[in-house]
mmCIF file of all heavy atoms in Angstrom:
data_model
loop_
_atom_site.group_PDB
_atom_site.id
_atom_site.type_symbol
_atom_site.label_atom_id
_atom_site.label_comp_id
_atom_site.label_asym_id
_atom_site.label_seq_id
_atom_site.Cartn_x
_atom_site.Cartn_y
_atom_site.Cartn_z
ATOM 1 N N ARG A 1 10.460 -16.134 -9.250
ATOM 2 C CA ARG A 1 10.268 -15.336 -8.108
ATOM 3 C C ARG A 1 11.598 -15.039 -7.391
ATOM 4 O O ARG A 1 11.696 -13.910 -6.877
ATOM 5 C CB ARG A 1 9.295 -16.101 -7.144
ATOM 6 C CG ARG A 1 7.880 -16.347 -7.748
ATOM 7 C CD ARG A 1 7.042 -17.103 -6.681
ATOM 8 N NE ARG A 1 6.887 -16.350 -5.477
ATOM 9 C CZ ARG A 1 5.989 -15.322 -5.327
ATOM 10 N NH1 ARG A 1 5.125 -14.967 -6.278
ATOM 11 N NH2 ARG A 1 5.893 -14.707 -4.193
ATOM 12 N N GLN A 2 12.449 -15.911 -7.275
ATOM 13 C CA GLN A 2 13.727 -15.722 -6.630
ATOM 14 C C GLN A 2 14.568 -14.686 -7.455
ATOM 15 O O GLN A 2 15.325 -13.886 -6.850
ATOM 16 C CB GLN A 2 14.533 -17.028 -6.550
ATOM 17 C CG GLN A 2 13.869 -18.013 -5.566
ATOM 18 C CD GLN A 2 14.542 -19.369 -5.669
ATOM 19 O OE1 GLN A 2 15.302 -19.640 -6.518
ATOM 20 N NE2 GLN A 2 14.166 -20.294 -4.620
ATOM 21 N N TYR A 3 14.515 -14.728 -8.808
ATOM 22 C CA TYR A 3 15.159 -13.811 -9.644
ATOM 23 C C TYR A 3 14.691 -12.399 -9.316
ATOM 24 O O TYR A 3 15.431 -11.447 -9.162
ATOM 25 C CB TYR A 3 14.907 -14.156 -11.106
ATOM 26 C CG TYR A 3 15.669 -13.368 -12.117
ATOM 27 C CD1 TYR A 3 16.900 -13.853 -12.612
ATOM 28 C CD2 TYR A 3 15.162 -12.248 -12.681
ATOM 29 C CE1 TYR A 3 17.566 -13.190 -13.597
ATOM 30 C CE2 TYR A 3 15.801 -11.505 -13.658
ATOM 31 C CZ TYR A 3 17.083 -12.024 -14.072
ATOM 32 O OH TYR A 3 17.673 -11.284 -15.146
ATOM 33 N N ILE A 4 13.346 -12.256 -9.261
ATOM 34 C CA ILE A 4 12.821 -10.952 -8.925
ATOM 35 C C ILE A 4 13.186 -10.575 -7.475
ATOM 36 O O ILE A 4 13.415 -9.410 -7.209
ATOM 37 C CB ILE A 4 11.254 -10.960 -9.097
ATOM 38 C CG1 ILE A 4 10.873 -11.176 -10.538
ATOM 39 C CG2 ILE A 4 10.631 -9.692 -8.532
ATOM 40 C CD1 ILE A 4 9.365 -11.359 -10.755
ATOM 41 N N GLY A 5 13.168 -11.573 -6.573
ATOM 42 C CA GLY A 5 13.555 -11.277 -5.165
ATOM 43 C C GLY A 5 14.915 -10.680 -5.112
ATOM 44 O O GLY A 5 15.185 -9.687 -4.303
ATOM 45 N N GLY A 6 15.873 -11.167 -5.835
ATOM 46 C CA GLY A 6 17.227 -10.596 -5.949
ATOM 47 C C GLY A 6 17.233 -9.217 -6.452
ATOM 48 O O GLY A 6 17.918 -8.373 -5.877
ATOM 49 N N GLN A 7 16.492 -9.013 -7.495
ATOM 50 C CA GLN A 7 16.486 -7.671 -8.081
ATOM 51 C C GLN A 7 15.866 -6.652 -7.107
ATOM 52 O O GLN A 7 16.391 -5.529 -7.009
ATOM 53 C CB GLN A 7 15.729 -7.638 -9.355
ATOM 54 C CG GLN A 7 16.398 -8.444 -10.484
ATOM 55 C CD GLN A 7 15.733 -8.382 -11.826
ATOM 56 O OE1 GLN A 7 14.491 -8.223 -11.901
ATOM 57 N NE2 GLN A 7 16.519 -8.432 -12.915
ATOM 58 N N ILE A 8 14.831 -6.963 -6.433
ATOM 59 C CA ILE A 8 14.187 -6.021 -5.482
ATOM 60 C C ILE A 8 15.072 -5.773 -4.332
ATOM 61 O O ILE A 8 15.220 -4.642 -3.934
ATOM 62 C CB ILE A 8 12.807 -6.618 -4.989
ATOM 63 C CG1 ILE A 8 11.845 -6.677 -6.140
ATOM 64 C CG2 ILE A 8 12.222 -5.723 -3.936
ATOM 65 C CD1 ILE A 8 11.492 -5.401 -6.861
ATOM 66 N N SER A 9 15.710 -6.816 -3.842
ATOM 67 C CA SER A 9 16.577 -6.644 -2.649
ATOM 68 C C SER A 9 17.784 -5.807 -2.919
ATOM 69 O O SER A 9 18.159 -4.987 -2.055
ATOM 70 C CB SER A 9 17.139 -8.015 -2.212
ATOM 71 O OG SER A 9 16.075 -8.933 -1.697
ATOM 72 N N LEU A 10 18.384 -5.886 -4.087
ATOM 73 C CA LEU A 10 19.575 -5.172 -4.475
ATOM 74 C C LEU A 10 19.323 -3.807 -5.149
ATOM 75 O O LEU A 10 20.237 -3.027 -5.475
ATOM 76 C CB LEU A 10 20.527 -6.063 -5.271
ATOM 77 C CG LEU A 10 20.981 -7.330 -4.728
ATOM 78 C CD1 LEU A 10 21.963 -7.963 -5.578
ATOM 79 C CD2 LEU A 10 21.476 -7.195 -3.290
ATOM 80 N N MET A 11 18.059 -3.566 -5.556
ATOM 81 C CA MET A 11 17.756 -2.471 -6.371
ATOM 82 C C MET A 11 18.239 -1.051 -5.763
ATOM 83 O O MET A 11 18.993 -0.320 -6.517
ATOM 84 C CB MET A 11 16.323 -2.386 -6.625
ATOM 85 C CG MET A 11 15.845 -1.360 -7.719
ATOM 86 S SD MET A 11 14.071 -1.318 -7.985
ATOM 87 C CE MET A 11 13.869 -2.952 -8.818
ATOM 88 N N PRO A 12 18.016 -0.797 -4.515
ATOM 89 C CA PRO A 12 18.545 0.585 -4.022
ATOM 90 C C PRO A 12 19.988 0.711 -4.190
ATOM 91 O O PRO A 12 20.542 1.758 -4.581
ATOM 92 C CB PRO A 12 18.045 0.569 -2.640
ATOM 93 C CG PRO A 12 16.855 -0.279 -2.532
ATOM 94 C CD PRO A 12 17.206 -1.430 -3.516
ATOM 95 N N GLU A 13 20.800 -0.362 -3.800
ATOM 96 C CA GLU A 13 22.201 -0.196 -3.723
ATOM 97 C C GLU A 13 22.805 -0.345 -5.123
ATOM 98 O O GLU A 13 24.028 -0.008 -5.356
ATOM 99 C CB GLU A 13 22.841 -1.264 -2.777
ATOM 100 C CG GLU A 13 22.646 -2.704 -3.193
ATOM 101 C CD GLU A 13 22.750 -3.578 -1.910
ATOM 102 O OE1 GLU A 13 21.728 -3.652 -1.157
ATOM 103 O OE2 GLU A 13 23.788 -4.275 -1.797
ATOM 104 N N LEU A 14 22.088 -0.791 -6.139
ATOM 105 C CA LEU A 14 22.612 -0.845 -7.483
ATOM 106 C C LEU A 14 22.111 0.286 -8.369
ATOM 107 O O LEU A 14 22.389 0.375 -9.527
ATOM 108 C CB LEU A 14 22.203 -2.202 -8.094
ATOM 109 C CG LEU A 14 22.838 -3.450 -7.503
ATOM 110 C CD1 LEU A 14 22.404 -4.680 -8.366
ATOM 111 C CD2 LEU A 14 24.346 -3.396 -7.445
ATOM 112 N N THR A 15 21.295 1.202 -7.757
ATOM 113 C CA THR A 15 20.634 2.261 -8.500
ATOM 114 C C THR A 15 21.573 3.081 -9.406
ATOM 115 O O THR A 15 21.331 3.534 -10.460
ATOM 116 C CB THR A 15 19.782 3.187 -7.561
ATOM 117 O OG1 THR A 15 18.650 2.431 -7.243
ATOM 118 C CG2 THR A 15 19.407 4.425 -8.272
ATOM 119 N N ALA A 16 22.776 3.387 -8.855
ATOM 120 C CA ALA A 16 23.711 4.211 -9.565
ATOM 121 C C ALA A 16 24.107 3.624 -10.927
ATOM 122 O O ALA A 16 24.491 4.358 -11.863
ATOM 123 C CB ALA A 16 25.003 4.441 -8.741
ATOM 124 N N LEU A 17 24.046 2.323 -11.096
ATOM 125 C CA LEU A 17 24.278 1.653 -12.314
ATOM 126 C C LEU A 17 23.117 1.811 -13.295
ATOM 127 O O LEU A 17 23.235 1.733 -14.589
ATOM 128 C CB LEU A 17 24.553 0.183 -12.096
ATOM 129 C CG LEU A 17 25.859 -0.082 -11.371
ATOM 130 C CD1 LEU A 17 25.839 -1.402 -10.578
ATOM 131 C CD2 LEU A 17 27.058 -0.142 -12.321
ATOM 132 N N TYR A 18 21.880 1.956 -12.801
ATOM 133 C CA TYR A 18 20.697 2.159 -13.609
ATOM 134 C C TYR A 18 20.385 3.623 -13.890
ATOM 135 O O TYR A 18 19.997 3.990 -14.981
ATOM 136 C CB TYR A 18 19.479 1.520 -12.979
ATOM 137 C CG TYR A 18 19.612 0.128 -12.542
ATOM 138 C CD1 TYR A 18 19.365 -0.277 -11.223
ATOM 139 C CD2 TYR A 18 20.091 -0.926 -13.463
ATOM 140 C CE1 TYR A 18 19.513 -1.553 -10.770
ATOM 141 C CE2 TYR A 18 20.250 -2.226 -13.042
ATOM 142 C CZ TYR A 18 19.902 -2.557 -11.700
ATOM 143 O OH TYR A 18 20.021 -3.845 -11.317
ATOM 144 N N TRP A 19 20.773 4.419 -12.927
ATOM 145 C CA TRP A 19 20.532 5.902 -13.068
ATOM 146 C C TRP A 19 21.965 6.518 -12.901
ATOM 147 O O TRP A 19 22.282 6.973 -11.815
ATOM 148 C CB TRP A 19 19.626 6.394 -11.975
ATOM 149 C CG TRP A 19 18.186 5.897 -12.135
ATOM 150 C CD1 TRP A 19 17.663 5.374 -13.190
ATOM 151 C CD2 TRP A 19 17.205 5.924 -11.123
ATOM 152 N NE1 TRP A 19 16.303 5.090 -12.953
ATOM 153 C CE2 TRP A 19 16.040 5.418 -11.702
ATOM 154 C CE3 TRP A 19 17.121 6.366 -9.794
ATOM 155 C CZ2 TRP A 19 14.900 5.309 -10.953
ATOM 156 C CZ3 TRP A 19 15.957 6.242 -9.094
ATOM 157 C CH2 TRP A 19 14.738 5.693 -9.626
ATOM 158 N N PRO A 20 22.795 6.576 -13.950
ATOM 159 C CA PRO A 20 24.171 6.937 -13.792
ATOM 160 C C PRO A 20 24.450 8.476 -13.898
ATOM 161 O O PRO A 20 25.598 8.798 -13.757
ATOM 162 C CB PRO A 20 24.839 6.210 -15.013
ATOM 163 C CG PRO A 20 23.740 6.263 -16.075
ATOM 164 C CD PRO A 20 22.455 6.131 -15.269
ATOM 165 N N THR A 21 23.520 9.295 -14.174
ATOM 166 C CA THR A 21 23.759 10.652 -14.367
ATOM 167 C C THR A 21 23.001 11.548 -13.269
ATOM 168 O O THR A 21 22.051 11.062 -12.716
ATOM 169 C CB THR A 21 23.372 11.228 -15.782
ATOM 170 O OG1 THR A 21 21.960 11.268 -15.874
ATOM 171 C CG2 THR A 21 23.897 10.244 -16.822
ATOM 172 N N ILE A 22 23.310 12.815 -13.225
ATOM 173 C CA ILE A 22 22.620 13.748 -12.340
ATOM 174 C C ILE A 22 21.172 13.794 -12.853
ATOM 175 O O ILE A 22 20.176 13.833 -12.041
ATOM 176 C CB ILE A 22 23.224 15.116 -12.372
ATOM 177 C CG1 ILE A 22 24.625 15.172 -11.759
ATOM 178 C CG2 ILE A 22 22.368 16.128 -11.695
ATOM 179 C CD1 ILE A 22 24.698 14.760 -10.284
ATOM 180 N N ASN A 23 20.954 13.809 -14.102
ATOM 181 C CA ASN A 23 19.652 14.049 -14.655
ATOM 182 C C ASN A 23 18.718 12.763 -14.500
ATOM 183 O O ASN A 23 17.484 12.948 -14.547
ATOM 184 C CB ASN A 23 19.786 14.360 -16.209
ATOM 185 C CG ASN A 23 18.542 14.651 -16.893
ATOM 186 O OD1 ASN A 23 18.008 13.793 -17.674
ATOM 187 N ND2 ASN A 23 17.930 15.693 -16.567
ATOM 188 N N SER A 24 19.350 11.670 -14.305
ATOM 189 C CA SER A 24 18.560 10.409 -14.204
ATOM 190 C C SER A 24 17.500 10.536 -13.101
ATOM 191 O O SER A 24 16.358 10.008 -13.263
ATOM 192 C CB SER A 24 19.458 9.158 -13.846
ATOM 193 O OG SER A 24 20.468 9.033 -14.763
ATOM 194 N N TYR A 25 17.795 11.246 -12.047
ATOM 195 C CA TYR A 25 16.860 11.284 -10.872
ATOM 196 C C TYR A 25 15.781 12.299 -11.045
ATOM 197 O O TYR A 25 14.828 12.267 -10.304
ATOM 198 C CB TYR A 25 17.759 11.529 -9.624
ATOM 199 C CG TYR A 25 18.797 10.487 -9.442
ATOM 200 C CD1 TYR A 25 19.974 10.477 -10.210
ATOM 201 C CD2 TYR A 25 18.513 9.386 -8.572
ATOM 202 C CE1 TYR A 25 20.962 9.520 -10.101
ATOM 203 C CE2 TYR A 25 19.566 8.376 -8.508
ATOM 204 C CZ TYR A 25 20.706 8.441 -9.268
ATOM 205 O OH TYR A 25 21.548 7.347 -9.142
ATOM 206 N N LYS A 26 15.852 13.051 -12.090
ATOM 207 C CA LYS A 26 14.771 14.046 -12.349
ATOM 208 C C LYS A 26 13.544 13.243 -13.011
ATOM 209 O O LYS A 26 12.507 13.817 -12.967
ATOM 210 C CB LYS A 26 15.264 15.178 -13.254
ATOM 211 C CG LYS A 26 16.511 15.836 -12.764
ATOM 212 C CD LYS A 26 16.239 16.521 -11.462
ATOM 213 C CE LYS A 26 17.528 17.196 -10.867
ATOM 214 N NZ LYS A 26 18.089 18.296 -11.628
ATOM 215 N N ARG A 27 13.892 12.160 -13.554
ATOM 216 C CA ARG A 27 12.792 11.389 -14.168
ATOM 217 C C ARG A 27 11.967 10.566 -13.171
ATOM 218 O O ARG A 27 10.805 10.335 -13.283
ATOM 219 C CB ARG A 27 13.432 10.357 -15.195
ATOM 220 C CG ARG A 27 12.466 9.209 -15.651
ATOM 221 C CD ARG A 27 13.225 8.265 -16.601
ATOM 222 N NE ARG A 27 12.555 7.030 -16.800
ATOM 223 C CZ ARG A 27 12.725 5.933 -16.154
ATOM 224 N NH1 ARG A 27 13.799 5.882 -15.280
ATOM 225 N NH2 ARG A 27 12.086 4.848 -16.347
ATOM 226 N N SER A 28 12.676 10.240 -12.059
ATOM 227 C CA SER A 28 12.046 9.375 -11.018
ATOM 228 C C SER A 28 11.218 10.248 -10.176
ATOM 229 O O SER A 28 11.617 10.646 -9.028
ATOM 230 C CB SER A 28 13.084 8.645 -10.272
ATOM 231 O OG SER A 28 12.500 7.881 -9.188
ATOM 232 N N VAL A 29 9.950 10.479 -10.538
ATOM 233 C CA VAL A 29 9.055 11.271 -9.774
ATOM 234 C C VAL A 29 7.619 10.600 -9.689
ATOM 235 O O VAL A 29 7.273 9.894 -10.719
ATOM 236 C CB VAL A 29 8.860 12.691 -10.421
ATOM 237 C CG1 VAL A 29 7.848 13.563 -9.673
ATOM 238 C CG2 VAL A 29 10.172 13.411 -10.556
ATOM 239 N N GLU A 30 6.940 10.644 -8.636
ATOM 240 C CA GLU A 30 5.745 9.995 -8.521
ATOM 241 C C GLU A 30 4.683 10.404 -9.619
ATOM 242 O O GLU A 30 4.617 11.484 -10.022
ATOM 243 C CB GLU A 30 5.037 10.328 -7.084
ATOM 244 C CG GLU A 30 5.826 9.738 -5.943
ATOM 245 C CD GLU A 30 5.018 9.960 -4.656
ATOM 246 O OE1 GLU A 30 4.006 10.615 -4.682
ATOM 247 O OE2 GLU A 30 5.496 9.442 -3.572
ATOM 248 N N ASN A 31 3.999 9.312 -10.085
ATOM 249 C CA ASN A 31 2.951 9.435 -11.080
ATOM 250 C C ASN A 31 3.472 9.992 -12.443
ATOM 251 O O ASN A 31 2.844 10.732 -13.112
ATOM 252 C CB ASN A 31 1.805 10.430 -10.488
ATOM 253 C CG ASN A 31 1.270 9.892 -9.185
ATOM 254 O OD1 ASN A 31 1.017 8.746 -9.013
ATOM 255 N ND2 ASN A 31 1.074 10.906 -8.299
ATOM 256 N N THR A 32 4.691 9.489 -12.757
ATOM 257 C CA THR A 32 5.274 9.918 -14.076
ATOM 258 C C THR A 32 5.709 8.732 -14.903
ATOM 259 O O THR A 32 6.525 8.782 -15.858
ATOM 260 C CB THR A 32 6.456 10.888 -13.887
ATOM 261 O OG1 THR A 32 7.416 10.272 -13.069
ATOM 262 C CG2 THR A 32 5.999 12.186 -13.198
ATOM 263 N N TRP A 33 5.234 7.536 -14.500
ATOM 264 C CA TRP A 33 5.528 6.229 -15.269
ATOM 265 C C TRP A 33 6.985 5.788 -14.930
ATOM 266 O O TRP A 33 7.427 4.797 -15.538
ATOM 267 C CB TRP A 33 5.385 6.397 -16.818
ATOM 268 C CG TRP A 33 4.048 6.814 -17.198
ATOM 269 C CD1 TRP A 33 3.608 8.078 -17.633
ATOM 270 C CD2 TRP A 33 2.849 6.028 -17.214
ATOM 271 N NE1 TRP A 33 2.317 8.121 -17.950
ATOM 272 C CE2 TRP A 33 1.786 6.880 -17.676
ATOM 273 C CE3 TRP A 33 2.536 4.658 -16.929
ATOM 274 C CZ2 TRP A 33 0.476 6.449 -17.882
ATOM 275 C CZ3 TRP A 33 1.302 4.280 -17.083
ATOM 276 C CH2 TRP A 33 0.276 5.053 -17.515
ATOM 277 N N ALA A 34 7.658 6.423 -14.005
ATOM 278 C CA ALA A 34 8.995 5.960 -13.552
ATOM 279 C C ALA A 34 8.982 5.619 -12.121
ATOM 280 O O ALA A 34 8.265 6.297 -11.353
ATOM 281 C CB ALA A 34 10.018 7.028 -13.830
ATOM 282 N N PRO A 35 9.654 4.503 -11.666
ATOM 283 C CA PRO A 35 9.487 4.075 -10.275
ATOM 284 C C PRO A 35 10.201 4.967 -9.375
ATOM 285 O O PRO A 35 11.218 5.597 -9.622
ATOM 286 C CB PRO A 35 10.127 2.667 -10.328
ATOM 287 C CG PRO A 35 11.112 2.671 -11.474
ATOM 288 C CD PRO A 35 10.496 3.602 -12.475
ATOM 289 N N VAL A 36 9.697 5.009 -8.106
ATOM 290 C CA VAL A 36 10.409 5.649 -7.044
ATOM 291 C C VAL A 36 10.687 4.695 -5.848
ATOM 292 O O VAL A 36 11.296 5.107 -4.832
ATOM 293 C CB VAL A 36 9.563 6.927 -6.530
ATOM 294 C CG1 VAL A 36 9.407 7.893 -7.631
ATOM 295 C CG2 VAL A 36 8.239 6.449 -5.958
ATOM 296 N N THR A 37 10.114 3.467 -5.925
ATOM 297 C CA THR A 37 10.311 2.503 -4.879
ATOM 298 C C THR A 37 10.720 1.138 -5.480
ATOM 299 O O THR A 37 10.497 0.949 -6.687
ATOM 300 C CB THR A 37 9.000 2.312 -4.080
ATOM 301 O OG1 THR A 37 7.971 2.002 -4.931
ATOM 302 C CG2 THR A 37 8.738 3.605 -3.269
ATOM 303 N N ALA A 38 11.316 0.240 -4.695
ATOM 304 C CA ALA A 38 11.605 -1.048 -5.136
ATOM 305 C C ALA A 38 10.365 -1.967 -5.007
ATOM 306 O O ALA A 38 10.102 -2.569 -4.047
ATOM 307 C CB ALA A 38 12.758 -1.632 -4.212
ATOM 308 N N THR A 39 9.626 -2.084 -6.162
ATOM 309 C CA THR A 39 8.395 -2.819 -6.187
ATOM 310 C C THR A 39 8.345 -3.660 -7.412
ATOM 311 O O THR A 39 9.047 -3.444 -8.403
ATOM 312 C CB THR A 39 7.250 -1.787 -6.225
ATOM 313 O OG1 THR A 39 7.498 -0.784 -7.240
ATOM 314 C CG2 THR A 39 6.940 -1.053 -4.924
ATOM 315 N N TRP A 40 7.427 -4.598 -7.394
ATOM 316 C CA TRP A 40 7.113 -5.411 -8.554
ATOM 317 C C TRP A 40 5.689 -5.794 -8.606
ATOM 318 O O TRP A 40 4.910 -5.673 -7.549
ATOM 319 C CB TRP A 40 7.987 -6.712 -8.524
ATOM 320 C CG TRP A 40 7.517 -7.749 -7.651
ATOM 321 C CD1 TRP A 40 7.736 -7.830 -6.279
ATOM 322 C CD2 TRP A 40 6.723 -8.925 -7.927
ATOM 323 N NE1 TRP A 40 7.149 -8.909 -5.693
ATOM 324 C CE2 TRP A 40 6.506 -9.638 -6.642
ATOM 325 C CE3 TRP A 40 6.183 -9.494 -9.059
ATOM 326 C CZ2 TRP A 40 5.878 -10.787 -6.615
ATOM 327 C CZ3 TRP A 40 5.444 -10.632 -9.044
ATOM 328 C CH2 TRP A 40 5.323 -11.327 -7.757
ATOM 329 N N GLY A 41 5.095 -6.088 -9.745
ATOM 330 C CA GLY A 41 3.745 -6.499 -9.848
ATOM 331 C C GLY A 41 3.426 -7.062 -11.244
ATOM 332 O O GLY A 41 4.241 -6.878 -12.161
ATOM 333 N N ARG A 42 2.392 -7.690 -11.433
ATOM 334 C CA ARG A 42 1.931 -8.281 -12.646
ATOM 335 C C ARG A 42 1.231 -7.254 -13.486
ATOM 336 O O ARG A 42 0.211 -6.630 -13.035
ATOM 337 C CB ARG A 42 1.043 -9.512 -12.525
ATOM 338 C CG ARG A 42 0.549 -10.078 -13.811
ATOM 339 C CD ARG A 42 -0.234 -11.359 -13.628
ATOM 340 N NE ARG A 42 0.636 -12.459 -13.333
ATOM 341 C CZ ARG A 42 1.374 -13.242 -14.165
ATOM 342 N NH1 ARG A 42 1.204 -12.860 -15.564
ATOM 343 N NH2 ARG A 42 2.120 -14.229 -13.905
ATOM 344 N N GLU A 43 1.709 -7.015 -14.699
ATOM 345 C CA GLU A 43 1.094 -5.981 -15.641
ATOM 346 C C GLU A 43 0.813 -4.711 -14.914
ATOM 347 O O GLU A 43 -0.167 -4.036 -15.072
ATOM 348 C CB GLU A 43 -0.158 -6.524 -16.249
ATOM 349 C CG GLU A 43 0.116 -7.583 -17.371
ATOM 350 C CD GLU A 43 0.762 -6.953 -18.620
ATOM 351 O OE1 GLU A 43 0.985 -5.733 -18.600
ATOM 352 O OE2 GLU A 43 1.066 -7.653 -19.515
ATOM 353 N N ASN A 44 1.824 -4.255 -14.134
ATOM 354 C CA ASN A 44 1.613 -2.986 -13.356
ATOM 355 C C ASN A 44 2.782 -2.041 -13.685
ATOM 356 O O ASN A 44 3.991 -2.251 -13.356
ATOM 357 C CB ASN A 44 1.688 -3.307 -11.883
ATOM 358 C CG ASN A 44 1.368 -2.153 -10.997
ATOM 359 O OD1 ASN A 44 1.461 -1.086 -11.334
ATOM 360 N ND2 ASN A 44 0.859 -2.436 -9.734
ATOM 361 N N ARG A 45 2.421 -0.949 -14.432
ATOM 362 C CA ARG A 45 3.370 0.014 -14.912
ATOM 363 C C ARG A 45 3.738 1.080 -13.796
ATOM 364 O O ARG A 45 4.449 2.058 -14.109
ATOM 365 C CB ARG A 45 2.855 0.681 -16.179
ATOM 366 C CG ARG A 45 2.963 -0.267 -17.437
ATOM 367 C CD ARG A 45 2.518 0.532 -18.700
ATOM 368 N NE ARG A 45 2.809 -0.273 -19.844
ATOM 369 C CZ ARG A 45 2.017 -1.174 -20.405
ATOM 370 N NH1 ARG A 45 0.892 -1.461 -19.777
ATOM 371 N NH2 ARG A 45 2.298 -1.824 -21.494
ATOM 372 N N THR A 46 3.255 0.988 -12.650
ATOM 373 C CA THR A 46 3.650 1.853 -11.561
ATOM 374 C C THR A 46 4.737 1.239 -10.748
ATOM 375 O O THR A 46 5.188 1.937 -9.752
ATOM 376 C CB THR A 46 2.469 2.112 -10.569
ATOM 377 O OG1 THR A 46 2.074 1.002 -9.849
ATOM 378 C CG2 THR A 46 1.201 2.610 -11.422
ATOM 379 N N THR A 47 5.176 0.008 -11.038
ATOM 380 C CA THR A 47 6.245 -0.668 -10.317
ATOM 381 C C THR A 47 7.544 -0.680 -11.053
ATOM 382 O O THR A 47 7.607 -0.447 -12.283
ATOM 383 C CB THR A 47 5.813 -2.131 -10.032
ATOM 384 O OG1 THR A 47 5.587 -2.757 -11.212
ATOM 385 C CG2 THR A 47 4.548 -2.214 -9.151
#
């Protein structure tokens, strides 16, 4: 839980490392299987 807590807390400010290109952000659109918010869940592919 703490491991996930760290990831959720730092996710917005570390996003450039996960999405490093201009094109990366075209994938992150609602209802497209890619996240748009810092969320977590059990067996939840919208997070």
Side-chain angles (χ1 to χ4, degrees):
R1 295 182 61 84
Q2 294 172 347
Y3 187 93
I4 294 173
Q7 293 187 326
I8 296 297
S9 295
L10 301 187
M11 191 177 292
E13 62 204 79
L14 296 182
T15 285
L17 292 152
Y18 307 126
W19 294 342
T21 73
I22 295 295
N23 183 252
S24 301
Y25 300 80
K26 307 299 174 68
R27 166 179 165 263
S28 177
V29 179
E30 290 186 357
N31 304 318
T32 60
W33 304 104
V36 299
T37 54
T39 50
W40 74 282
R42 177 176 285 280
E43 283 296 355
N44 191 334
R45 287 183 169 87
T46 71
T47 59

